[in-house]
């Protein structure tokens, strides 16, 4: 996010609608034209298929405001290393 205002902007809080999401504010106070980010990590080990979460961001400076960011993801189960097929792209190997 980028502060386009002449006053400082302060992120007071962030929260998620899903317990599977952890949030981190990269920079909570932004001066004019400064850039920051809110990092969301979603634990996809708990579910398969479509999943949505709403991230609510609360600002308290220069005035109180709340913004909601809607996310949607589609996690798929990955094969464990022990169950992956061997790489046969180089063809058969023969002892010489």
């Amino acid at each position: 996010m980028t502060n386009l205002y002449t006053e400082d902007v302060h992120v007071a809080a962030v929260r998620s609608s899903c317990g599977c999401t952890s949030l981190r504010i990269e920079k909570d106070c932004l001066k004019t034209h400064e850039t920051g980010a809110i990092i969301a990590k979603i634990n996809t080990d708990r579910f398969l298929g479509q999943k949505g979460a709403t991230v609510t961001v609360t600002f308290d400076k220069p005035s109180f405001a709340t913004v909601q960011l809607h996310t949607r993801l589609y996690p798929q189960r990955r094969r464990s290393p022990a169950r992956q097929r061997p790489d046969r792209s180089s063809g058969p190997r023969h002892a010489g």
Side-chain angles (χ1 to χ4, degrees):
M1 62 190 155
T2 301
N3 179 8
L4 301 176
Y5 302 101
T6 56
E7 301 97 344
D8 291 355
V9 171
H10 182 254
V11 178
V14 292
R15 71 177 189 276
S16 175
S17 63
C18 177
C20 62
T21 306
S22 62
L23 301 169
R24 179 174 56 87
I25 303 169
E26 188 177 79
K27 189 170 186 179
D28 63 348
C29 189
L30 302 174
K31 297 194 178 298
T32 304
H33 302 295
E34 280 189 326
T35 300
I38 296 167
I39 310 299
K41 287 189 177 183
I42 300 171
N43 181 356
T44 59
D45 292 339
R46 296 191 212 172
F47 52 85
L48 288 174
Q50 181 177 323
K51 178 68 177 170
T54 300
V55 176
T56 302
V57 183
T58 303
F59 298 90
D60 62 356
K61 287 182 182 178
S63 60
F64 182 84
T66 301
V67 176
Q68 290 189 332
L69 309 170
H70 302 281
T71 63
R72 182 136 350 265
L73 63 139
Y74 304 87
Q76 297 176 356
R77 196 64 78 194
R78 286 175 251 159
R79 291 181 186 204
S80 67
R83 299 188 75 182
Q84 290 181 347
R85 295 182 185 158
D87 180 19
R88 299 188 195 279
S89 60
S90 60
R93 297 177 191 241
H94 300 283

